[in-house]
Amino acid sequence: MNICVIGTGYVGLVAGTCFAESGNDVICVDIDSKKIERLNRGEVPIYEPGLEELIKRNSEDGRLRFTTDLALAVKESLICFIAVGTPPGEDGSADLKYVLEAARGVAKNMDGYRVIVDKSTVPVGTAEKVKAAVCSELKLRGVDYEFDVVSNPEFLKEGAAIDDFMKPDRVVIGADNEKAAEIMEELYSPFVRTNKPILIMDVKSAEMTKYAANAMLASKISFINEIANLCELVGADVANVRRGIGSDSRIGFEFLFPGVGYGGSCFPKDVQAIIRTGSEYGYDLKILKAVEAVNYRQKEVMVDRILKHFKESGVSGQGSGKPLEGKIIGVWGLSFKPRTDDMREAPSITIINRLLEAGARVKVHDPEAMDEAKKVFGDRIEYMKDNYEVVTDADALAVITEWNEFRRPNFDKIKALMKTPVIFDGRNIYEPKEMMEHGFIYYGIGRI
């Protein structure tokens, strides 16, 4: 099939590349000429395992092209995916400006039937707005081409997006027209040969499915963080509790990992957006408001514990009034999760800013997110080439992102390099007993 993907951000780039990998002819379009130039040189603007290799292969084979020419892309394509950003407004609602601009762009250049697909994460009712925008533009042109608007939400995990797209748990297609549904089923048929379902439903249900899925996963994270915090107060170990509840097939283990909260481009934005949708319809989504509040608070837990430790040990501050003045805090991990360089809404931002406010000198390392971190922190923190440089002369180590590189380091070497052997484990990747055997003072989340 001939496809164009409008927007070469995370979703658009992964989707366009994977469609090309399955044999389709794909044109990816973006208004950012510098990004398109980079892509045409084989430079990938985001880090996602396996993506660079797929882009290179499909570009060389002629199935994948990058351009700023929307007219060309629309004229050559039957299916036009809209995969532009929907940044949250001040009230938490999704900003549809770029989605509607893309829709009008398709309408200005289409010369016959098109399937226009909302791939961006958008609120319920967006397809109707896209349809209205297209109709309005066609009317201005004095033409009456047939088209359908489809909702096709993405369910990609950063760090595993290629596998998620090529081997999906399910494909959700919201279509109110049988013709459009059949075209989309044909497009996705190569991806579901293991009998995973293609779920055809009405457009509004498809739009709601994306928000409901992410809100549910965010709820599980905030739930286990609440339980972890309570475990600390009552003297229980959240690792044991997690085993006890996760073994129940109705609950499962996925997303029941206590830590310093969720971040990224999806969960924070989507939880806010669905809360806003509820408000617009006069419904108060109390559970999701609590999920958001718990997550906001959880990002503060590690720093509270660091401040408490140094206060109780009698070595906080150096007379400046700032409790961590003169202290060196090492930080492992900056991205919101491993296997990505994405720092949007990353817990590390909240944690490091609070450490700096408390007077600490902060040294950091992340396998992929160092360049993104420099955009956030500038020269306010120190960037180390490896994790051992981070702990050299450090008064404490804070583990924020659970990269594999951090799971089994040389603990004897770390202890020898540190000024004081204190570890604050924000992802519970170490066992308390083992840390104590190595001679560390260890703080996990809900661990004993």
Side-chain angles (χ1 to χ4, degrees):
M1 288 187 172
N2 293 323
I3 299 167
C4 75
V5 179
I6 304 169
T8 59
Y10 185 84
V11 173
L13 202 52
V14 171
T17 303
C18 290
F19 281 134
E21 178 69 9
S22 66
N24 299 286
D25 290 319
V26 180
I27 304 175
C28 290
V29 190
D30 205 293
I31 61 173
D32 187 339
S33 58
K34 291 184 178 178
K35 182 187 285 188
I36 294 299
E37 288 172 5
R38 288 185 63 191
L39 286 164
N40 280 322
R41 292 196 301 266
E43 299 173 12
V44 181
I46 60 172
Y47 175 73
E48 178 62 37
L51 181 60
E52 185 173 356
E53 294 84 351
L54 289 186
I55 289 176
K56 180 180 179 182
R57 178 166 68 239
N58 286 281
S59 296
E60 289 175 350
D61 290 347
R63 290 189 300 272
L64 181 62
R65 291 181 283 164
F66 300 99
T67 183
T68 57
D69 190 344
L70 179 60
L72 169 72
V74 172
K75 284 181 169 60
E76 292 192 14
S77 302
L78 170 64
I79 308 173
C80 300
F81 282 87
I82 297 175
V84 296
T86 54
E90 290 184 5
D91 61 356
S93 61
D95 186 347
L96 298 178
K97 175 175 64 178
Y98 304 115
V99 171
L100 297 179
E101 282 181 4
R104 284 189 286 268
V106 173
K108 287 177 182 178
N109 295 287
M110 59 191 284
D111 54 6
Y113 177 74
R114 295 292 185 277
V115 179
I116 302 171
V117 185
D118 285 333
K119 195 69 174 171
S120 303
T121 300
V122 293
V124 176
T126 298
E128 293 176 347
K129 295 179 180 179
V130 168
K131 183 176 181 179
V134 173
C135 286
S136 177
E137 200 64 46
L138 291 177
K139 186 176 181 180
L140 288 175
R141 290 179 59 194
V143 295
D144 188 24
Y145 295 125
E146 183 186 358
F147 70 94
D148 286 300
V149 178
V150 169
S151 174
N152 175 219
E154 54 84 16
F155 301 98
L156 307 178
K157 299 186 296 293
E158 291 193 39
I162 302 299
D163 277 348
D164 286 347
F165 200 101
M166 301 299 287
K167 304 170 186 176
D169 290 329
R170 80 292 201 194
V171 175
V172 173
I173 296 170
D176 295 328
N177 177 288
E178 187 175 340
K179 178 180 178 180
E182 289 176 353
I183 290 172
M184 295 297 291
E185 279 191 286
E186 181 182 347
L187 175 64
Y188 274 104
S189 60
F191 301 97
V192 292
R193 296 190 181 278
T194 56
N195 293 321
K196 296 295 185 179
I198 295 178
L199 305 175
I200 306 295
M201 59 186 70
D202 62 279
V203 171
K204 287 186 176 181
S205 294
E207 291 172 332
M208 179 61 82
T209 296
K210 169 64 176 181
Y211 280 118
N214 278 353
M216 181 68 215
L217 297 175
S219 298
K220 292 186 75 172
I221 294 171
S222 283
F223 171 79
I224 198 63
N225 281 334
E226 286 271 71
I227 296 300
N229 295 337
L230 183 59
C231 281
E232 287 192 16
L233 295 174
V234 303
D237 190 328
V238 72
N240 292 331
V241 175
R242 179 178 178 270
R243 289 205 307 272
I245 64 175
S247 299
D248 187 326
S249 61
R250 298 168 300 174
I251 298 172
F253 289 100
E254 291 188 353
F255 287 85
L256 287 181
F257 293 97
V260 289
Y262 59 76
S265 63
C266 294
F267 288 5
K269 177 171 67 72
D270 292 354
V271 170
Q272 289 176 8
I274 196 171
I275 289 171
R276 178 63 183 174
T277 298
S279 177
E280 290 172 355
Y281 284 84
Y283 191 76
D284 187 14
L285 288 162
K286 294 180 181 179
I287 289 177
L288 294 183
K289 284 183 177 179
V291 167
E292 186 179 38
V294 168
N295 191 63
Y296 181 82
R297 184 185 66 193
Q298 197 68 17
K299 294 180 181 182
E300 309 281 346
V301 166
M302 176 179 281
V303 180
D304 290 343
R305 190 161 299 152
I306 292 172
L307 293 172
K308 182 180 179 182
H309 165 80
F310 283 108
K311 182 178 180 180
E312 291 180 348
S313 63
V315 291
S316 62
Q318 292 185 346
S320 67
K322 293 186 175 182
L324 297 180
E325 188 73 34
K327 301 299 176 190
I328 299 175
I329 308 297
V331 171
W332 284 1
L334 298 165
S335 56
F336 85 95
K337 62 180 286 187
R339 293 170 63 83
T340 180
D341 61 354
D342 195 343
M343 285 193 61
R344 286 174 288 184
E345 301 287 338
S348 63
I349 297 174
T350 300
I351 293 167
I352 290 173
N353 279 331
R354 279 200 63 197
L355 291 173
L356 293 171
E357 290 169 6
R361 174 183 161 195
V362 179
K363 299 162 63 179
V364 305
H365 177 71
D366 186 284
E368 293 295 339
M370 299 287 264
D371 289 340
E372 293 300 312
K374 290 173 184 176
K375 298 175 186 176
V376 177
F377 298 109
D379 60 2
R380 294 186 296 142
I381 61 177
E382 300 171 41
Y383 305 92
M384 304 291 109
K385 67 180 182 181
D386 63 46
N387 49 329
Y388 293 107
E389 279 195 357
V390 168
V391 299
T392 301
D393 295 324
D395 294 279
L397 169 64
V399 181
I400 299 177
T401 312
E402 65 276 30
W403 285 91
N404 283 337
E405 292 92 325
F406 303 152
R407 290 183 179 274
R408 300 303 304 172
N410 185 330
F411 290 112
D412 292 335
K413 181 178 180 180
I414 292 170
K415 183 183 177 186
L417 289 171
M418 295 183 74
K419 187 182 297 181
T420 52
V422 184
I423 293 179
F424 296 89
D425 184 357
R427 296 296 181 182
N428 287 353
I429 61 175
Y430 307 131
E431 284 298 318
K433 182 179 179 182
E434 182 183 5
M435 291 299 96
M436 287 185 281
E437 289 173 353
H438 281 287
F440 289 96
I441 299 171
Y442 175 81
Y443 299 91
I445 303 292
R447 301 303 306 275
I448 59 173

